[in-house]
Amino acid sequence: QSALTQPRSVSGSPGQSVTISCTGSSSDVGGYNYVSWYQQHPGKAPKLMIYDVTKRPSGVPDRFSGSKSGNTASLTISGLQAEDEADYYCCSYAGSFTFVFGTGTKVTVL
Amino acid sequence: QVRLVESGGGVVQPGRSLRLSCAVSGFTFSSYAMHWVRQAPGKGLEWVAVISSDGSLKYYADSVKDRITISRDNSRNTLYVQMNSLRAEDTAVYYCATTLHIAAAGTSHAFDIWGQGTTVTVSS
């Protein structure tokens, strides 16, 4: 149950797009279509942004999109806005009813 | 209104035990699996444990499975985690979480409802 690997930080100007990668293995990301993404502002609880690789919960802007190729999942934020500045975590089902989170990525809006 | 409210955190000495609670309201608690997720200061999220809706199935992260027990009381709409032999590395904010609204889409592999967290500090 090693943490999934994410870049420590990404940045972009307002209106630009940023993509966060999340690399695991065939035992987690590559083995299941159960990758989710969470946004966390300082001092707050995480918020679900994407589930089942590509699906958005009600209320999440369509600027947020997810994808997966092999053992790597990605979250893309299009039309970056100031309020998107936060930490983002991926999470994957890892079999046997267990889950593993990513190391986290800080998104900075320049 | 759906609410998850954790309690029971505090400062505890290494080697001691602590039980955290998560009081649930606003939905049928007994119908949903529940999870604990923790976050050490300045660190990332770590999934800790899950319990099935009826409490019969429990699964743990390898890092905690010999020291943590998850349980629930469906009559009290409350989730628990009992933590024993606490270590400095157990210092974290502990969140309870569940899959609620998106469960209608047939998935249970993400967490769309979270509590605000309770802080556990293990220190002498």
Side-chain angles (χ1 to χ4, degrees):
Chain A
Q1 293 178 344
S2 298
L4 308 176
T5 300
Q6 298 180 232
R8 184 175 293 269
S9 64
V10 299
S11 62
S13 299
Q16 289 187 330
S17 294
V18 296
T19 296
I20 304 168
S21 61
C22 169
T23 302
S25 69
S26 58
S27 298
D28 37 62
V29 175
Y32 308 93
N33 288 322
Y34 296 135
V35 176
S36 52
W37 289 90
Y38 301 85
Q39 177 191 67
Q40 187 179 36
H41 288 107
K44 301 296 186 181
K47 175 187 177 183
L48 178 66
M49 305 303 284
I50 295 288
Y51 67 98
D52 292 357
V53 179
T54 62
K55 300 175 183 177
R56 274 188 314 276
S58 175
V60 172
D62 59 7
R63 303 185 290 104
F64 292 85
S65 62
S67 63
K68 191 187 85 165
S69 178
N71 296 336
T72 298
S74 298
L75 174 72
T76 297
I77 310 173
S78 305
L80 199 62
Q81 299 183 5
E83 59 262 36
D84 300 333
E85 184 161 298
D87 294 325
Y88 291 82
Y89 295 90
C90 62
C91 180
S92 175
Y93 180 67
S96 301
F97 301 96
T98 65
F99 293 82
V100 58
F101 280 92
T103 51
T105 298
K106 180 175 179 58
V107 171
T108 301
V109 181
L110 301 172
Chain B
Q1 182 184 6
V2 172
R3 291 191 74 195
L4 306 180
V5 180
E6 301 92 337
S7 62
V11 180
V12 59
Q13 293 180 327
R16 302 297 291 264
S17 299
L18 196 65
R19 189 179 80 160
L20 307 180
S21 301
C22 170
V24 169
S25 59
F27 65 97
T28 306
F29 177 66
S30 59
S31 295
Y32 296 90
M34 296 293 298
H35 301 257
W36 285 101
V37 177
R38 69 183 181 181
Q39 185 171 34
K43 302 296 184 181
L45 300 170
E46 180 186 16
W47 178 83
V48 173
V50 61
I51 186 168
S52 61
S53 57
D54 65 357
S56 62
L57 300 174
K58 304 172 186 181
Y59 298 91
Y60 301 93
D62 288 343
S63 59
V64 302
K65 64 181 179 182
D66 295 330
R67 300 184 298 114
I68 279 182
T69 301
I70 190 172
S71 62
R72 64 192 297 159
D73 185 338
N74 285 346
S75 68
R76 296 178 182 270
N77 287 348
T78 303
L79 172 73
Y80 303 100
V81 64
Q82 175 73 38
M83 302 186 295
N84 301 321
S85 303
L86 282 162
R87 308 166 180 167
E89 53 264 38
D90 295 317
T91 294
V93 175
Y94 285 75
Y95 296 100
C96 56
T98 191
T99 311
L100 178 62
H101 301 301
I102 61 173
T107 188
S108 60
H109 299 92
F111 320 117
D112 61 345
I113 303 295
W114 295 69
Q116 85 290 348
T118 188
T119 301
V120 173
T121 302
V122 182
S123 174
S124 54

